[in-house]
Amino acid sequence: MIELAAVATITILAVISPGADFAMVTRNSLIHGRSAGLLASLGIALGVQLHVLYTMLGVGLVLQNSPGLFSTVKLLGAVYLVYVGYKTFFTPLPSSSSATPLKKLGAFDALRTGFFTNALNPKTTLFVVSVYTQIIQPETSIAVQVGYGLFMSLAHWIWFSLVTVFFSEEHLRSKMVHHQRVLNRMIGIILAGLGFWLALT
């Protein structure tokens, strides 16, 4: 029971803490609409499952005890965030003032952006590896460990779906699109800034 409470508490805190995943979902919801935001949210949840899978297979322990390997993962994540931040910063504006998305983002592309945001996110890596190596006990059954992993993904999917629904609400989105240039640049700077921060820390 204590183990379950610890996993649930840490998961909720990790999910709602601002980071690259939040900026990515906000970006997709504002620029490309609700569908793209929801698919990015699903991609984020799938990215969590990737971390769960390799941690349960024992690679997480290797990653935790290999500073060089972890630094490589961190650098890849940093480069990806800087790239997405750059693309967001220079996203062209719609020709009209309507809230219609500038360019429809394909389902696969929306899912992929969410997946890679968390698959290459050192914060998510540390979160999952820490839970499975520090909180979950060796005697915890495989079924329970799988359940914890599914809970982590579900929590991410629900939270970021709610973020998507909020930021893609038509009235709010319509107002925000009037300030889209500023928003794009702010989100771009945040994403790129997170990337540079990860690379330097």
Side-chain angles (χ1 to χ4, degrees):
M1 195 65 176
I2 293 175
E3 183 182 284
L4 175 61
V7 171
T9 302
I10 292 171
T11 298
I12 290 167
L13 291 174
V15 168
I16 64 175
S17 63
D21 39 17
F22 184 88
M24 175 65 68
V25 169
T26 303
R27 168 193 184 272
N28 276 12
S29 301
L30 286 173
I31 296 174
H32 302 291
R34 181 165 294 179
S35 177
L38 290 173
L39 284 164
S41 300
L42 179 58
I44 284 170
L46 293 174
V48 173
Q49 276 305 296
L50 175 69
H51 294 295
V52 170
L53 178 63
Y54 72 65
T55 302
M56 287 185 65
L57 291 173
V59 179
L61 195 58
V62 174
L63 194 64
Q64 187 182 40
N65 294 295
S66 175
L69 184 57
F70 181 73
S71 294
T72 301
V73 172
K74 190 169 80 166
L75 185 60
L76 286 172
V79 170
Y80 179 72
L81 289 176
V82 171
Y83 168 75
V84 174
Y86 171 83
K87 294 286 282 182
T88 303
F89 189 92
F90 291 104
T91 298
L93 296 177
S95 55
S96 69
S97 62
S98 70
T100 304
L102 172 70
K103 177 185 174 186
K104 183 147 180 75
L105 188 67
F108 177 75
D109 290 332
L111 186 71
R112 185 188 62 192
T113 57
F115 176 78
F116 280 114
T117 295
N118 251 10
L120 296 173
N121 189 345
K123 184 187 91 167
T124 309
T125 304
L126 284 173
F127 155 60
V128 175
V129 171
S130 295
V131 168
Y132 275 86
T133 57
Q134 305 296 325
I135 297 174
I136 295 174
Q137 302 301 312
E139 62 271 14
T140 304
S141 72
I142 295 297
V144 171
Q145 291 186 46
V146 169
Y148 287 153
L150 291 173
F151 170 74
M152 291 173 186
S153 286
L154 184 64
H156 279 79
W157 179 71
I158 290 172
W159 170 251
F160 289 111
S161 293
L162 290 172
V163 170
T164 293
V165 169
F166 176 78
F167 280 104
S168 63
E169 193 277 321
E170 208 52 46
H171 180 68
L172 175 65
R173 189 163 173 257
S174 179
K175 285 186 172 182
M176 295 182 91
V177 164
H178 287 294
H179 306 285
Q180 191 168 334
R181 186 185 300 277
V182 174
L183 288 169
N184 287 353
R185 291 185 173 176
M186 283 175 55
I187 294 170
I189 288 169
I190 290 168
L191 286 167
L194 283 169
F196 283 119
W197 178 77
L198 286 172
L200 296 173
T201 56

